């Protein structure tokens, strides 16, 4: 990065290049790719019962120097690994003549807010306290939960800028800046998030359902004797399983009787 107050023209053209534009779009699209079915509800299983992750790690460590699985647990690690290492997805991304191996790794890093170099300026857009994903799910979840708050991302169109900042070492870098014109929108996002968490995410029925799902999944995975098979099952859960296929598996395991 430049050590002066401003970036020169070539650096600016590189930051706002068509290549970086494509990287940002794909990183935003693939941001939550590593979530398991039912998102944080299933993630809670591995956080609450770390012995599952430890057993998987003991027999199946994926370590190519950059992408680690089972070294702790986070859906971000699965997101980076799926983007960079999953054959079907890499094949899809590589179908574009403009896509390079380096760009795929940049997409994987930016998708979890861990980009370096000039792309680091966009980390907060993809993964931050006020990111594109959060705005999207707040609008969607509030509407479908009956709390339509009328948020419009169009209010950000002329309010988001990249500005040059200097860190303590004197090095210049770009940062995302939201000007005062967008403060009403920002306040609406923060208040709608609090309302959604309190009225929906922490509702008694939802919390009870999460506890039941967590316990069910733990008991099912604990029955897998082979640590290697356990690891493969956890990977499949994150890489291929959806809410719908997960539900089908649960129904298939239940006794054949009426549920109500």
């Amino acid at each position: 990065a430049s050590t002066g107050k401003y970036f020169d023209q070539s650096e600016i053209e590189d930051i706002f290049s068509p290549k970086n534009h494509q990287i940002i779009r794909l990183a935003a699209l693939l941001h939550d790719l590593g979530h398991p079915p039912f998102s944080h509800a299933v993630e809670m299983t591995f956080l609450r019962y770390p012995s599952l992750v430890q057993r998987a790690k003991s027999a199946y460590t994926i370590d190519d120097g950059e992408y680690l699985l089972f070294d702790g647990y986070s859906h971000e690690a699965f997101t980076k690994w799926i983007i960079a290492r999953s054959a079907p997805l890499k094949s899809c991304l590589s179908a574009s003549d403009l896509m390079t191996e380096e760009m795929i790794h940049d997409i994987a890093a930016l998708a979890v807010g861990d980009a370096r170099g000039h792309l680091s300026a966009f980390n907060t857009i993809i993964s931050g306290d006020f990111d594109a994903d959060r705005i999207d799910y707040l609008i969607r979840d509030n509407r479908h939960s009956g709390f339509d708050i009328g948020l419009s991302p169009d209010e950000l169109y002329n309010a988001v800028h990249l500005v040059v900042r200097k860190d303590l070492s004197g090095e210049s870098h770009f940062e995302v800046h939201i000007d005062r014109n967008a403060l009403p929108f920002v306040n609406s996002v923060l208040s709608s998030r609090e309302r959604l968490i309190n009225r929906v995410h922490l509702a008694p029925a939802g919390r009870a359902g999460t506890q039941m799902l967590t316990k069910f999944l733990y008991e099912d995975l604990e029955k897998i004797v082979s640590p290697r098979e356990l690891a493969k099952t956890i990977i499949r859960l994150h890489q291929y399983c959806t809410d719908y296929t997960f539900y089908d598996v649960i129904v298939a395991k239940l006794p054949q009787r009426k549920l109500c």
Side-chain angles (χ1 to χ4, degrees):
S2 171
T3 56
K5 183 176 181 180
Y6 301 106
F7 289 89
D8 61 38
Q9 187 63 30
S10 63
E11 288 178 305
I12 293 175
E13 290 177 356
D14 177 65
I15 291 172
F16 296 102
S17 66
K19 179 189 76 171
N20 282 355
H21 182 228
Q22 183 73 334
I23 289 172
I24 295 166
R25 291 175 66 247
L26 289 170
L29 178 66
L30 303 175
H31 167 62
D32 278 337
L33 195 64
H35 274 299
F38 298 103
S39 191
H40 300 290
V42 169
E43 286 180 46
M44 188 67 66
T45 306
F46 303 108
L47 297 175
R48 182 170 295 173
Y49 304 104
S51 60
L52 293 172
V53 177
Q54 290 302 315
R55 284 182 58 211
K57 180 181 178 181
S58 69
Y60 199 86
T61 300
I62 298 177
D63 181 359
D64 57 11
E66 187 173 359
Y67 301 100
L68 298 172
L69 293 180
F70 306 120
D71 187 23
Y73 172 80
S74 71
H75 74 266
E76 289 87 357
F78 280 88
T79 295
K80 291 181 68 175
W81 180 78
I82 291 172
I83 294 173
R85 293 290 181 258
S86 175
L89 182 59
K90 283 193 67 177
S91 176
C92 181
L93 293 175
S94 301
S96 169
D97 294 336
L98 301 177
M99 187 64 60
T100 64
E101 186 73 17
E102 181 183 5
M103 287 176 66
I104 292 176
H105 289 284
D106 285 340
I107 293 168
L110 184 57
V112 298
D114 195 30
R116 297 290 185 266
H118 288 163
L119 280 171
S120 64
F122 305 104
N123 280 332
T124 54
I125 293 178
I126 305 300
S127 181
D129 293 329
F130 190 74
D131 58 35
D133 173 59
R134 186 161 298 183
I135 295 172
D136 173 63
Y137 86 70
L138 284 175
I139 294 173
R140 183 179 61 251
D141 288 7
N142 272 282
R143 178 178 180 182
H144 290 288
S145 300
F147 303 113
D148 195 353
I149 48 182
L151 286 177
S152 173
D154 292 339
E155 297 179 46
L156 293 175
Y157 187 75
N158 293 315
V160 178
H161 314 280
L162 286 178
V163 298
V164 177
R165 301 291 190 194
K166 295 181 70 175
D167 58 27
L168 296 177
S169 67
E171 187 170 318
S172 299
H173 57 93
F174 274 117
E175 285 185 357
V176 176
H177 173 76
I178 301 176
D179 64 32
R180 290 180 177 272
N181 294 333
L183 286 181
F185 180 82
V186 173
N187 288 332
S188 295
V189 168
L190 296 176
S191 62
S192 65
R193 183 168 184 259
E194 179 182 17
R195 185 183 305 115
L196 182 69
I197 290 174
N198 289 332
R199 297 188 180 183
V200 179
H201 295 170
L202 297 181
R207 294 172 66 183
T210 297
Q211 297 297 324
M212 294 168 65
L213 181 61
T214 298
K215 187 67 173 177
F216 175 89
L217 183 59
Y218 167 71
E219 292 178 349
D220 201 46
L221 293 176
E222 187 67 10
K223 294 176 182 177
I224 301 177
V225 177
S226 167
R228 186 174 181 81
E229 186 59 36
L230 172 63
K232 290 182 177 181
T233 301
I234 294 175
I235 291 173
R236 285 196 299 269
L237 194 66
H238 287 78
Q239 188 173 5
Y240 299 112
C241 198
T242 68
D243 292 0
Y244 298 103
T245 58
F246 186 80
Y247 174 78
D248 291 339
V249 170
I250 292 176
V251 171
K253 288 178 176 291
L254 291 173
Q256 297 301 312
R257 63 173 183 271
K258 291 184 178 181
L259 302 180
C260 58

